Coordinates of all heavy atoms in Angstrom, one line a residue:
M1 N 148.5 231.5 54.6 CA 148.2 230.1 54.9 C 149.0 229.7 56.1 O 150.2 229.9 56.2 CB 148.6 229.3 53.7 CG 148.0 227.9 53.8 SD 148.6 226.9 52.4 CE 149.8 225.8 53.2
Q2 N 148.3 229.1 57.1 CA 149.0 228.7 58.3 C 149.5 227.2 58.2 O 148.7 226.3 57.7 CB 148.0 228.8 59.5 CG 148.7 228.9 60.8 CD 147.8 228.6 62.0 OE1 146.7 229.0 61.9 NE2 148.4 227.9 63.0
I3 N 150.7 227.0 58.5 CA 151.3 225.7 58.5 C 151.3 225.1 59.9 O 151.7 225.8 60.8 CB 152.7 225.7 57.9 CG1 152.7 226.3 56.5 CG2 153.4 224.3 57.9 CD1 154.1 226.8 56.0
D4 N 150.7 223.9 60.0 CA 150.7 223.2 61.3 C 152.1 222.8 61.7 O 152.9 222.2 60.9 CB 149.8 222.0 61.3 CG 148.3 222.4 61.3 OD1 148.0 223.4 62.0 OD2 147.5 221.7 60.6
M5 N 152.5 223.1 63.0 CA 153.8 222.8 63.5 C 153.7 221.8 64.6 O 152.6 221.7 65.3 CB 154.5 224.1 64.0 CG 154.6 225.2 63.0 SD 155.8 225.0 61.8 CE 157.3 225.5 62.6
K6 N 154.7 221.1 64.8 CA 154.7 220.1 65.9 C 156.2 220.0 66.4 O 157.1 220.1 65.7 CB 154.3 218.8 65.3 CG 154.1 217.7 66.4 CD 153.5 216.5 65.7 CE 154.2 215.2 66.1 NZ 153.8 214.7 67.4
K7 N 156.3 219.8 67.7 CA 157.6 219.7 68.4 C 158.0 218.3 68.4 O 157.3 217.4 68.8 CB 157.5 220.2 69.8 CG 158.8 220.5 70.4 CD 158.6 221.1 71.8 CE 159.9 221.3 72.5 NZ 159.7 221.8 73.9
C8 N 159.3 218.1 67.9 CA 159.8 216.7 67.9 C 160.2 216.3 69.3 O 160.8 217.1 70.0 CB 161.0 216.6 66.9 SG 161.9 215.1 67.1
F9 N 159.8 215.1 69.7 CA 160.1 214.6 71.0 C 161.6 214.5 71.3 O 162.1 214.6 72.4 CB 159.4 213.3 71.2 CG 159.6 212.7 72.6 CD1 158.9 213.2 73.7 CD2 160.5 211.6 72.8 CE1 159.1 212.6 74.9 CE2 160.7 211.1 74.0 CZ 160.0 211.6 75.1
Y10 N 162.4 214.2 70.2 CA 163.8 213.9 70.4 C 164.7 215.1 70.2 O 165.5 215.4 71.1 CB 164.2 212.8 69.4 CG 163.5 211.5 69.7 CD1 162.3 211.2 69.1 CD2 164.0 210.7 70.7 CE1 161.7 210.0 69.4 CE2 163.3 209.5 71.1 CZ 162.2 209.2 70.4 OH 161.5 208.0 70.8
C11 N 164.5 215.9 69.1 CA 165.4 217.0 68.9 C 164.9 218.3 69.5 O 165.5 219.3 69.5 CB 165.8 217.2 67.5 SG 164.4 217.5 66.4
K12 N 163.6 218.3 69.9 CA 162.9 219.4 70.6 C 162.7 220.6 69.7 O 162.4 221.7 70.1 CB 163.6 219.9 71.9 CG 164.0 218.8 72.8 CD 162.8 218.3 73.6 CE 163.2 217.1 74.6 NZ 162.1 216.3 74.9
R13 N 162.9 220.4 68.4 CA 162.7 221.5 67.4 C 161.2 221.5 67.0 O 160.6 220.5 66.9 CB 163.5 221.3 66.2 CG 165.0 221.7 66.4 CD 165.7 221.5 65.1 NE 165.8 220.1 64.7 CZ 166.6 219.6 63.8 NH1 167.4 220.4 63.2 NH2 166.6 218.3 63.5
K14 N 160.7 222.7 66.8 CA 159.4 222.8 66.3 C 159.4 222.8 64.7 O 160.0 223.7 64.1 CB 158.7 224.1 66.8 CG 157.4 223.9 67.4 CD 156.8 225.1 68.0 CE 155.3 224.9 68.2 NZ 154.6 226.1 68.5
L15 N 158.8 221.8 64.2 CA 158.9 221.6 62.7 C 157.6 221.5 62.0 O 156.6 221.1 62.7 CB 159.7 220.4 62.4 CG 161.2 220.3 63.0 CD1 161.6 218.9 63.1 CD2 162.1 221.1 62.1
P16 N 157.5 221.8 60.7 CA 156.2 221.7 60.0 C 155.8 220.2 60.0 O 156.7 219.3 60.0 CB 156.5 222.2 58.6 CG 157.8 222.8 58.6 CD 158.5 222.4 59.9
L17 N 154.5 219.9 60.0 CA 154.0 218.6 60.1 C 154.5 217.7 58.9 O 154.6 216.5 59.1 CB 152.5 218.6 60.0 CG 151.7 218.8 61.3 CD1 150.2 218.5 61.0 CD2 152.2 217.9 62.4
I18 N 154.9 218.3 57.8 CA 155.4 217.5 56.7 C 156.7 216.8 57.0 O 157.0 215.8 56.4 CB 155.5 218.4 55.4 CG1 155.7 217.6 54.2 CG2 156.6 219.4 55.6 CD1 155.1 218.2 52.9
L19 N 157.4 217.3 58.0 CA 158.6 216.6 58.5 C 158.4 215.5 59.4 O 159.4 214.9 60.0 CB 159.6 217.7 59.1 CG 160.3 218.5 58.0 CD1 161.0 219.7 58.7 CD2 161.3 217.7 57.2
F20 N 157.2 215.1 59.6 CA 156.9 213.9 60.5 C 156.2 212.9 59.6 O 155.4 213.2 58.7 CB 155.9 214.3 61.6 CG 156.6 215.3 62.6 CD1 156.6 216.6 62.4 CD2 157.2 214.8 63.8 CE1 157.2 217.5 63.3 CE2 157.8 215.7 64.7 CZ 157.8 217.0 64.4
N21 N 156.5 211.6 60.0 CA 155.8 210.5 59.3 C 154.4 210.3 59.9 O 154.2 210.7 61.0 CB 156.6 209.2 59.4 CG 157.9 209.2 58.6 OD1 158.9 209.6 59.0 ND2 157.7 208.9 57.3
T22 N 153.5 209.8 59.1 CA 152.2 209.5 59.6 C 152.2 208.3 60.6 O 152.9 207.3 60.4 CB 151.3 209.1 58.4 OG1 151.3 210.2 57.4 CG2 149.9 208.9 58.8
N23 N 151.5 208.5 61.6 CA 151.5 207.4 62.7 C 150.3 206.5 62.4 O 149.1 206.9 62.4 CB 151.3 208.1 64.0 CG 151.4 207.1 65.2 OD1 151.5 205.9 65.0 ND2 151.5 207.7 66.4
N24 N 150.6 205.2 62.1 CA 149.6 204.2 61.8 C 149.1 203.5 63.0 O 148.3 202.6 62.9 CB 150.1 203.2 60.8 CG 150.7 203.9 59.6 OD1 150.1 204.8 59.0 ND2 151.8 203.4 59.2
C25 N 149.7 203.8 64.2 CA 149.3 203.1 65.4 C 147.9 203.3 65.8 O 147.3 204.4 65.6 CB 150.2 203.4 66.6 SG 151.9 202.9 66.3
T26 N 147.3 202.3 66.4 CA 145.9 202.5 66.9 C 145.8 203.4 68.1 O 144.9 204.2 68.2 CB 145.3 201.1 67.3 OG1 145.7 200.1 66.3 CG2 143.8 201.1 67.3
Y27 N 146.8 203.3 68.9 CA 146.8 204.1 70.1 C 147.7 205.3 69.9 O 148.9 205.2 69.6 CB 147.4 203.3 71.3 CG 146.6 202.1 71.6 CD1 147.1 200.8 71.2 CD2 145.3 202.1 72.2 CE1 146.4 199.7 71.4 CE2 144.6 201.0 72.4 CZ 145.1 199.8 72.0 OH 144.4 198.6 72.2
Q28 N 147.1 206.5 69.9 CA 147.9 207.7 69.8 C 147.3 208.9 70.4 O 146.0 208.9 70.6 CB 148.2 208.0 68.3 CG 147.0 207.9 67.4 CD 147.5 208.2 65.9 OE1 147.8 209.3 65.6 NE2 147.4 207.2 65.1
V29 N 148.1 209.8 70.8 CA 147.6 211.0 71.5 C 147.1 212.0 70.5 O 147.7 212.1 69.4 CB 148.8 211.6 72.3 CG1 148.3 212.7 73.2 CG2 149.5 210.5 73.2
K30 N 146.0 212.6 70.8 CA 145.4 213.5 69.9 C 146.3 214.7 69.6 O 146.3 215.2 68.5 CB 144.1 214.0 70.5 CG 143.0 214.4 69.5 CD 141.7 214.8 70.1 CE 140.8 215.3 69.0 NZ 139.6 215.9 69.5
A31 N 147.1 215.1 70.6 CA 148.0 216.2 70.4 C 149.1 215.9 69.4 O 149.7 216.8 68.8 CB 148.7 216.5 71.7
D32 N 149.3 214.6 69.1 CA 150.3 214.3 68.1 C 149.8 214.5 66.6 O 150.6 214.3 65.7 CB 150.7 212.8 68.2 CG 151.7 212.6 69.4 OD1 152.4 213.6 69.7 OD2 151.8 211.5 69.9
L33 N 148.6 214.8 66.5 CA 148.0 215.2 65.1 C 148.2 214.1 64.1 O 148.4 214.4 62.9 CB 148.6 216.5 64.6 CG 148.6 217.7 65.6 CD1 149.5 218.8 65.1 CD2 147.1 218.3 65.7
G34 N 148.1 212.9 64.5 CA 148.2 211.7 63.6 C 149.6 211.5 63.1 O 149.8 210.7 62.1
K35 N 150.6 212.1 63.7 CA 152.0 212.0 63.2 C 152.8 211.3 64.3 O 152.5 211.3 65.5 CB 152.6 213.4 62.9 CG 151.9 214.1 61.8 CD 152.2 213.5 60.5 CE 151.3 214.1 59.4 NZ 151.6 213.5 58.1
T36 N 154.0 210.8 63.9 CA 154.9 210.2 64.9 C 155.5 211.2 65.8 O 155.6 212.4 65.5 CB 156.0 209.4 64.1 OG1 156.6 210.3 63.2 CG2 155.5 208.2 63.4
V37 N 156.0 210.8 67.0 CA 156.6 211.7 67.9 C 158.0 212.2 67.5 O 158.4 213.3 67.9 CB 156.7 211.1 69.4 CG1 155.3 210.9 70.0 CG2 157.5 209.8 69.4
S38 N 158.6 211.4 66.6 CA 159.9 211.7 66.2 C 159.9 212.3 64.8 O 159.1 211.8 63.9 CB 160.8 210.4 66.2 OG 161.9 210.6 65.4
C39 N 160.6 213.3 64.5 CA 160.6 213.9 63.1 C 161.4 213.0 62.2 O 162.1 212.1 62.6 CB 161.2 215.3 63.1 SG 163.0 215.3 63.4
R40 N 161.2 213.2 60.9 CA 161.9 212.3 59.9 C 163.4 212.3 60.1 O 164.0 211.2 59.9 CB 161.6 212.8 58.5 CG 160.1 212.6 58.1 CD 159.9 213.1 56.7 NE 158.5 213.3 56.4 CZ 157.8 212.4 55.7 NH1 158.4 211.3 55.1 NH2 156.5 212.6 55.4
I41 N 164.0 213.4 60.4 CA 165.4 213.5 60.6 C 165.9 212.6 61.8 O 166.8 211.9 61.6 CB 165.9 215.0 60.8 CG1 165.4 215.8 59.6 CG2 167.4 215.1 61.0 CD1 164.9 217.2 59.9
C42 N 165.2 212.7 62.9 CA 165.6 211.9 64.0 C 165.3 210.4 63.7 O 166.1 209.6 64.2 CB 164.8 212.3 65.3 SG 165.2 213.9 65.9
S43 N 164.2 210.1 63.0 CA 163.9 208.7 62.7 C 165.1 208.2 61.8 O 165.5 207.0 62.1 CB 162.6 208.7 61.9 OG 161.6 209.2 62.6
I44 N 165.5 208.9 60.9 CA 166.6 208.5 60.0 C 167.9 208.3 60.8 O 168.5 207.2 60.7 CB 166.8 209.5 58.8 CG1 165.6 209.4 57.8 CG2 168.1 209.2 58.1 CD1 165.6 210.5 56.8
K45 N 168.2 209.2 61.6 CA 169.4 209.1 62.4 C 169.4 207.9 63.3 O 170.4 207.1 63.4 CB 169.6 210.3 63.3 CG 170.2 211.5 62.6 CD 170.5 212.6 63.7 CE 170.7 213.9 63.1 NZ 170.5 215.0 64.0
R46 N 168.3 207.6 63.9 CA 168.2 206.5 64.8 C 168.2 205.2 64.0 O 168.9 204.2 64.4 CB 166.8 206.5 65.6 CG 166.8 205.7 66.8 CD 165.6 205.9 67.7 NE 164.4 205.7 66.9 CZ 163.3 206.5 66.8 NH1 163.4 207.7 67.5 NH2 162.3 206.3 66.1
A47 N 167.6 205.1 62.9 CA 167.6 203.9 62.1 C 168.9 203.6 61.5 O 169.3 202.4 61.5 CB 166.5 204.1 60.9
I48 N 169.7 204.6 61.2 CA 171.0 204.4 60.6 C 171.9 203.8 61.7 O 172.7 202.9 61.5 CB 171.6 205.7 60.0 CG1 170.9 206.0 58.7 CG2 173.1 205.6 59.8 CD1 171.2 207.3 58.1
K49 N 171.8 204.3 62.9 CA 172.5 203.9 64.1 C 172.3 202.4 64.4 O 173.1 201.6 64.7 CB 172.2 204.7 65.3 CG 173.3 205.0 66.2 CD 172.8 205.6 67.5 CE 173.4 207.0 67.8 NZ 172.7 207.6 68.9
Q50 N 171.0 202.0 64.2 CA 170.6 200.6 64.5 C 170.6 199.7 63.3 O 170.3 198.5 63.4 CB 169.1 200.6 65.0 CG 168.9 201.4 66.3 CD 167.4 201.6 66.6 OE1 166.5 201.4 65.7 NE2 167.1 201.9 67.9
N51 N 171.0 200.3 62.1 CA 171.1 199.5 60.9 C 169.7 198.9 60.5 O 169.6 197.8 60.0 CB 172.1 198.4 60.9 CG 173.5 199.0 61.0 OD1 173.9 199.9 60.2 ND2 174.3 198.6 62.0
G52 N 168.7 199.6 60.8 CA 167.3 199.1 60.4 C 166.3 199.9 61.2 O 166.5 200.9 61.9
Y53 N 165.0 199.4 61.0 CA 163.9 200.1 61.7 C 162.8 199.2 62.1 O 162.8 198.0 61.6 CB 163.4 201.2 60.7 CG 163.0 200.7 59.3 CD1 161.8 200.1 59.1 CD2 164.0 200.8 58.3 CE1 161.5 199.6 57.8 CE2 163.7 200.3 57.0 CZ 162.5 199.7 56.8 OH 162.2 199.2 55.6
M54 N 161.9 199.6 62.9 CA 160.8 198.8 63.4 C 159.6 199.1 62.4 O 159.4 200.2 62.1 CB 160.4 199.2 64.8 CG 161.4 198.9 65.9 SD 161.8 197.2 66.0 CE 160.3 196.6 66.8
T55 N 159.0 198.1 62.0 CA 157.8 198.2 61.2 C 156.7 197.2 61.6 O 157.0 196.2 62.3 CB 158.2 198.1 59.7 OG1 157.1 198.6 58.9 CG2 158.5 196.7 59.3
K56 N 155.5 197.5 61.2 CA 154.4 196.6 61.6 C 154.1 195.6 60.5 O 153.8 196.0 59.3 CB 153.2 197.5 61.9 CG 152.5 197.1 63.2 CD 151.4 198.1 63.5 CE 150.7 197.7 64.8 NZ 149.6 198.7 65.0
V57 N 154.2 194.3 60.8 CA 153.8 193.3 59.9 C 152.8 192.4 60.6 O 153.0 191.9 61.6 CB 155.0 192.4 59.4 CG1 154.6 191.3 58.5 CG2 156.1 193.3 58.7
D58 N 151.6 192.3 59.9 CA 150.5 191.5 60.5 C 150.2 191.9 62.0 O 150.1 191.0 62.9 CB 150.8 190.0 60.5 CG 150.9 189.5 59.1 OD1 150.2 190.1 58.2 OD2 151.6 188.5 58.8
N59 N 150.2 193.2 62.2 CA 149.9 193.7 63.5 C 151.0 193.5 64.6 O 150.7 193.7 65.8 CB 148.6 193.2 64.1 CG 147.5 194.2 63.6 OD1 147.7 195.4 63.5 ND2 146.3 193.6 63.3
K60 N 152.1 193.0 64.2 CA 153.2 192.8 65.1 C 154.4 193.7 64.7 O 154.7 193.8 63.5 CB 153.7 191.4 65.1 CG 152.8 190.5 66.0 CD 153.3 189.1 66.0 CE 152.3 188.1 66.4 NZ 152.2 186.9 65.5
F61 N 155.1 194.2 65.7 CA 156.3 195.0 65.3 C 157.5 194.1 65.0 O 157.8 193.2 65.8 CB 156.6 196.0 66.5 CG 155.8 197.2 66.4 CD1 154.7 197.4 67.3 CD2 156.0 198.2 65.5 CE1 153.9 198.6 67.3 CE2 155.2 199.4 65.4 CZ 154.2 199.5 66.3
V62 N 158.1 194.3 63.9 CA 159.3 193.5 63.6 C 160.4 194.5 63.2 O 160.2 195.6 62.7 CB 159.1 192.5 62.4 CG1 158.2 191.4 62.9 CG2 158.5 193.2 61.2
F63 N 161.7 194.1 63.5 CA 162.8 194.8 63.1 C 163.3 194.5 61.7 O 163.5 193.3 61.5 CB 164.0 194.6 64.2 CG 165.2 195.5 63.9 CD1 165.2 196.8 64.3 CD2 166.3 195.0 63.3 CE1 166.3 197.6 64.0 CE2 167.4 195.8 63.0 CZ 167.4 197.1 63.4
V64 N 163.4 195.4 60.8 CA 163.9 195.2 59.5 C 165.3 195.8 59.3 O 165.5 196.9 59.6 CB 162.9 195.8 58.5 CG1 163.4 195.7 57.0 CG2 161.5 195.3 58.6
Q65 N 166.2 194.9 58.9 CA 167.5 195.4 58.7 C 167.6 196.2 57.4 O 166.9 195.8 56.4 CB 168.5 194.2 58.6 CG 168.9 193.7 59.9 CD 170.3 193.3 60.0 OE1 170.9 192.7 59.0 NE2 171.0 193.4 61.1
A66 N 168.2 197.3 57.4 CA 168.3 198.1 56.2 C 169.6 198.9 56.1 O 170.1 199.3 57.1 CB 167.1 199.1 56.1
N67 N 170.0 199.2 54.9 CA 171.2 200.1 54.8 C 170.8 201.5 54.7 O 169.6 201.9 54.7 CB 172.0 199.7 53.5 CG 171.3 199.9 52.2 OD1 170.5 200.8 52.1 ND2 171.5 199.0 51.3
K68 N 171.7 202.4 54.7 CA 171.5 203.8 54.8 C 170.5 204.3 53.7 O 169.6 205.1 54.0 CB 172.8 204.5 54.5 CG 173.0 205.8 55.3 CD 174.4 206.3 55.1 CE 174.7 207.5 55.9 NZ 176.1 207.9 55.9
W69 N 170.6 203.8 52.5 CA 169.8 204.3 51.4 C 168.4 203.8 51.5 O 167.4 204.5 51.3 CB 170.4 204.0 50.0 CG 171.6 204.8 49.8 CD1 172.9 204.4 49.7 CD2 171.6 206.2 49.7 NE1 173.7 205.4 49.5 CE2 173.0 206.6 49.5 CE3 170.6 207.2 49.7 CZ2 173.4 207.9 49.4 CZ3 171.0 208.6 49.5 CH2 172.4 208.9 49.4
E70 N 168.2 202.6 52.0 CA 166.9 202.0 52.2 C 166.2 202.8 53.3 O 165.0 203.1 53.3 CB 167.0 200.5 52.6 CG 167.4 199.7 51.4 CD 167.8 198.3 51.8 OE1 168.2 198.0 53.0 OE2 167.8 197.4 50.9
I71 N 167.0 203.2 54.3 CA 166.4 203.9 55.4 C 165.9 205.3 55.0 O 164.8 205.8 55.3 CB 167.4 204.0 56.6 CG1 167.6 202.7 57.3 CG2 167.0 205.1 57.6 CD1 168.8 202.5 58.1
I72 N 166.8 206.0 54.3 CA 166.4 207.4 53.8 C 165.2 207.3 52.9 O 164.3 208.1 53.0 CB 167.7 208.0 53.1 CG1 168.7 208.3 54.1 CG2 167.3 209.3 52.3 CD1 170.1 208.7 53.6
K73 N 165.2 206.3 52.0 CA 164.1 206.1 51.1 C 162.8 205.9 51.9 O 161.7 206.5 51.6 CB 164.3 204.9 50.2 CG 163.7 205.0 48.8 CD 164.3 204.1 47.8 CE 163.7 202.7 48.1 NZ 164.4 201.6 47.2
K74 N 162.9 205.1 52.9 CA 161.7 204.8 53.7 C 161.1 206.0 54.4 O 159.9 206.3 54.4 CB 162.0 203.7 54.8 CG 160.8 203.6 55.7 CD 160.9 202.4 56.6 CE 159.8 202.4 57.7 NZ 158.4 202.4 57.2
Y75 N 162.0 206.8 55.0 CA 161.5 207.9 55.8 C 161.3 209.2 55.0 O 160.6 210.1 55.4 CB 162.5 208.2 57.0 CG 162.3 207.2 58.0 CD1 163.3 206.1 58.2 CD2 161.3 207.2 58.9 CE1 163.1 205.2 59.2 CE2 161.1 206.2 59.9 CZ 162.0 205.2 60.0 OH 161.9 204.2 60.9
L76 N 162.0 209.4 53.9 CA 161.8 210.6 53.1 C 160.9 210.5 52.0 O 160.1 211.4 51.7 CB 163.2 211.1 52.6 CG 164.0 211.8 53.7 CD1 165.2 212.5 53.0 CD2 163.2 212.9 54.4
I77 N 160.9 209.4 51.2 CA 160.1 209.3 50.0 C 158.7 208.7 50.3 O 157.7 209.3 49.9 CB 160.9 208.5 48.9 CG1 162.2 209.2 48.6 CG2 160.0 208.3 47.7 CD1 163.2 208.4 47.9
C78 N 158.7 207.6 51.1 CA 157.4 207.1 51.4 C 156.7 207.9 52.6 O 157.4 208.2 53.5 CB 157.5 205.6 51.9 SG 158.5 204.6 50.9
N79 N 155.5 208.2 52.4 CA 154.8 208.9 53.5 C 154.1 207.9 54.3 O 152.8 207.9 54.3 CB 153.9 210.0 52.9 CG 153.3 210.8 54.0 OD1 153.9 211.1 55.0 ND2 152.1 211.3 53.8
N80 N 154.8 207.2 55.1 CA 154.1 206.3 56.1 C 154.8 206.3 57.4 O 155.8 207.0 57.6 CB 154.1 204.9 55.5 CG 155.4 204.3 55.2 OD1 156.5 204.8 55.7 ND2 155.5 203.3 54.3
Ligands
ZN101 ZN1 163.6 215.5 65.6

């Protein structure tokens, strides 16, 4: 069985698609295979540094403040 791989834009590692969140944006590059440019690990690291993350509410991007556990839960457990 072949596993689809994708290179993370931030850490430059080639990782299985499961390590990327699904990209819900309307505008996206076909080469991104429907996934975000950043792997889950990089997303978590960045969110922890910023004490929160960007999310879409009513088609607008808003910054949501979150603690470490909320961030990990968002990026690891939820597949969005
Ligand atoms: Zn990465």
Side-chain angles (χ1 to χ4, degrees):
M1 196 184 103
Q2 204 197 322
I3 301 165
D4 284 324
M5 303 286 276
K6 186 174 136 80
K7 194 175 176 185
C8 172
F9 180 77
Y10 296 95
C11 62
K12 311 284 179 203
R13 281 180 297 194
K14 231 179 163 190
L15 300 160
L17 275 191
I18 194 146
L19 282 171
F20 293 84
N21 287 93
T22 304
N23 188 353
N24 308 314
C25 296
T26 319
Y27 304 104
Q28 47 181 293
V29 188
K30 211 177 173 188
D32 279 338
L33 306 165
K35 300 286 175 179
T36 52
V37 291
S38 162
C39 72
R40 289 178 197 259
I41 300 140
C42 291
S43 301
I44 288 169
K45 277 189 195 160
R46 199 172 57 228
I48 287 171
K49 217 190 242 173
Q50 299 172 339
N51 296 307
Y53 51 84
M54 295 298 287
T55 194
K56 226 173 180 182
V57 177
D58 296 332
N59 271 325
K60 277 183 203 133
F61 280 104
V62 289
F63 184 78
V64 176
Q65 280 217 326
N67 65 35
K68 214 172 181 174
W69 289 113
E70 289 165 340
I71 290 163
I72 290 168
K73 210 164 77 185
K74 169 168 171 65
Y75 286 103
L76 281 187
I77 299 162
C78 311
N79 186 33
N80 58 21

